Structures are given as structure tokens and as C-alpha cells.
Amino acid sequence: MLLLSAARALVDDIDSGVRASGFTDLRPAHGFAFVRLSGTGATTTELAEHLEITKQAASQMADELIRKGYVERRPHPTDARARLLVLTEKGQACTRAADAAAARTLEPLAASLTPDQKATLRTALTRLATPGRIRPIW
Amino acid sequence: MLLLSAARALVDDIDSGVRASGFTDLRPAHGFAFVRLSGTGATTTELAEHLEITKQAASQMADELIRKGYVERRPHPTDARARLLVLTEKGQACTRAADAAAARTLEPLAASLTPDQKATLRTALTRLATPGRIRPIW
DNA sequence: CTATATGGTCAACCTGCTTGACTAAATTGG
DNA sequence: CCAATTTAGTCAAGCAGGTTGACCATATAG
């Protein structure tokens, strides 16, 4: 219960932080997409796998993010069928805002823990976590 | 990230545990409803508040759970307008299965931690958590 | 004992997702 | 090198789970 509630609180904080930074047309779900797109970008199919939704739904979400200016489609360097989805400057600014909001929420906790306690926390969560599976489904 | 992934993993484990126990017609979302209904039950409006959805949506979900045999509607003892939603025996069996699945996932972790480490974990999560807000929204 | 607030329902609709059928490009294997 | 298959993506239709808005019946307040 505590685990679920803490996760929810973190997502809520990030969401309201992002909104307070002026990105009011995004939902938390978009953040999970940004996680995959940041860096070198991803194809529609890769995004779909990351979000565990169909590629049609991923494509639709990409269209929305493009329309809102967070993402752009580029030709794929090696595959003429595929196109690469990458974050625009606005998209990157948004992820920075999200990171800042997360840090703001976690900082007081981090400051109150000894290095040992942090390690305990990190280890415990790591043992439960399934790498890459961030987005809840239900 | 670790926190979100761990929460997701726990929900996944509970869901598959519940399904493996024969309750194949439920989604994790129903579990969040069961949390509120277990014990003395709740009215539709209370359920709606707990899930942070409209009372129409909560009523629809209650109908579904009644149709599937997990919940029943009883007259409210003090308010003739309201009706009390309570878990049937099947609903209670399902929550027991969910608790067992959660325990199964958490047990190896618990066994590997000293009491001090458990306290650290509990305190850290408690500091982040917003009481009662379990269900993520996005 | 009227006026207002609250619990619940009905109906219409919207959004994000799914399934299914399809095209174009890439890959595989004779 | 070319036919067969796989893979990236799109189009279209439909569905599930939610929303808003209007409404009735009962409860509560002045």
C-alpha cells in the first residue's frame, strides 16, 4: 500500500510540477513516452513496445505530441519504412521540468537519509522492480 | 524510476496472482475498489471519491462487480436514498487471494532485511505517500 | 415546512485504446 | 537475383471506461 501510494504521489508531484512550468497540455502518460524518446529517439514501434500499447495507439499519441510541438518525425537513417520520433527543444525543456519536479519532491527525503539508508532503499526497490516497466496498466 | 517500476511490478504480481486463483474477470482497477469496500462497505458516492472518478462511473463499475458476483447492494441502514455496496463471500475470497499474492512477492524482500532496514523503508515510503491515494490517474 | 443539499440514475457523448485489413520497404533463402 | 516472408506504419471501425448534464427521491437546515 505504502509503495503504491508513494508512487502515485511522485507521479502527481511531477505532473503538477510540469503543469506549473507551463506545459498544461500534457498528462503523466506523455511523460512515459518522453522517457523513451529522450536521447536518440525511437520509432513508432519501439515507442509502442515501451508503453505496451499497440503501434496504432502509439502513432496516434505521436501525432498528438507533434501537433503540440513536443516531438518531430525525422526520416530514419537506415530504414526507409521507419521514421524516427525525437523530442523538440520544447520536449526537452519539458523533460527537464519533470526531472526538476521529481528532484524537488525527493530531495527532502534524500537529505534525511544516511548513505547506508539510501542504499537500502535503492536495493529494496531494485529487487522488486522489473527494468523498463514503468507505466502501470489497468 | 525505481519507485514507479517497483509499484508496477507489485501490481502486476497481484494481478497475475489473482488471475491464477481463478478470478480471471477482474482488472487491477477493481482491486482498488475492493480496498474501499472491504470491511463495512461503502456507498456509491464514497466509492467514487475513493477512486477519484464520478459517481456515475463508480455506479457502473459497481453494476459490473455485482453482475460478476463480487459485490452486492444492500439497503443503507440510516439513509433511504443510499445503498450500501458490500463484498460477497466471493469478493472476500478475491481480496484474500490478492493479499496472498502481495505477501508472496514481498516476502523474500522482507526476509532479507533487518528490522532497522524495514523501518527505514517504511518511513521513507510513508514520507512520500499521500494517505488514501492509491490509484494512479493518467 | 419550505428551501437547499445530497445519493443515485438515465442518457448522450468523448477519448484513448483495440482489432483487422492493408501498403511499402526490408530481409531471408534458394 | 528474385520470390516469399517479415517488419514499419497507416486507415478505418468499434469498444470500454470514463465524462458532463439533467433529473428524481430523500435528507437536512433555517
Side-chain angles (χ1 to χ4, degrees):
Chain A
M1 285 293 220
L2 276 176
L3 179 58
L4 300 184
S5 186
R8 157 72 187 263
L10 179 57
V11 170
D12 273 1
D13 279 0
I14 293 175
D15 186 48
S16 55
V18 166
R19 287 173 185 276
S21 303
F23 306 104
T24 55
D25 56 357
L26 293 177
R27 289 170 300 112
H30 298 129
F32 296 108
F34 284 25
V35 167
R36 184 65 181 83
L37 298 183
S38 73
T40 53
T43 65
T44 300
T45 299
E46 287 165 347
L47 179 61
E49 284 166 358
H50 179 253
L51 298 178
E52 296 176 89
I53 58 179
T54 60
K55 53 188 180 171
Q56 292 92 323
S59 176
Q60 197 170 304
M61 184 168 170
D63 287 342
E64 179 193 351
L65 291 174
I66 288 166
R67 184 169 43 77
K68 292 180 176 171
Y70 295 99
V71 168
E72 62 184 23
R73 265 191 239 268
R74 295 208 193 139
H76 193 285
T78 66
D79 189 333
R81 296 168 303 176
R83 287 193 289 170
L84 208 55
L85 300 168
V86 294
L87 294 181
T88 61
E89 176 48 42
K90 186 179 176 186
Q92 290 172 28
C94 182
T95 59
R96 285 192 295 270
D99 288 346
R104 219 176 302 130
T105 294
L106 297 177
E107 197 189 338
L109 177 64
S112 76
L113 296 175
T114 67
D116 263 13
Q117 290 177 324
K118 281 189 219 176
T120 296
L121 194 52
R122 186 178 302 272
T123 306
L125 292 178
T126 303
R127 289 189 53 174
L128 292 176
T130 308
R133 307 197 119 202
I134 294 170
R135 188 190 184 184
I137 301 197
W138 51 74
Chain B
M1 286 292 221
L2 276 178
L3 179 58
L4 301 185
S5 186
R8 157 73 188 262
L10 178 57
V11 171
D12 274 1
D13 279 0
I14 293 174
D15 187 47
S16 53
V18 166
R19 287 174 186 276
S21 303
F23 305 104
T24 55
D25 55 357
L26 294 176
R27 289 170 302 111
H30 298 130
F32 296 109
F34 283 26
V35 168
R36 183 66 180 83
L37 298 183
S38 73
T40 53
T43 65
T44 301
T45 300
E46 287 165 347
L47 179 61
E49 283 166 359
H50 179 252
L51 298 179
E52 295 175 88
I53 58 180
T54 61
K55 53 188 180 172
Q56 292 91 322
S59 176
Q60 195 169 304
M61 184 167 170
D63 286 342
E64 179 192 351
L65 291 175
I66 289 166
R67 183 169 44 77
K68 292 180 176 170
Y70 295 98
V71 168
E72 62 183 23
R73 265 191 239 269
R74 294 207 193 140
H76 192 285
T78 66
D79 190 333
R81 297 168 302 177
R83 287 194 288 171
L84 208 55
L85 299 168
V86 295
L87 294 181
T88 61
E89 175 48 41
K90 185 178 177 186
Q92 289 171 29
C94 181
T95 59
R96 284 192 295 271
D99 288 346
R104 218 176 303 128
T105 294
L106 297 177
E107 198 188 338
L109 177 63
S112 77
L113 296 175
T114 67
D116 263 12
Q117 289 177 325
K118 282 188 218 174
T120 295
L121 193 52
R122 188 178 301 271
T123 306
L125 293 177
T126 303
R127 289 189 53 173
L128 291 175
T130 307
R133 308 198 119 202
I134 295 170
R135 185 186 189 189
I137 302 197
W138 49 74

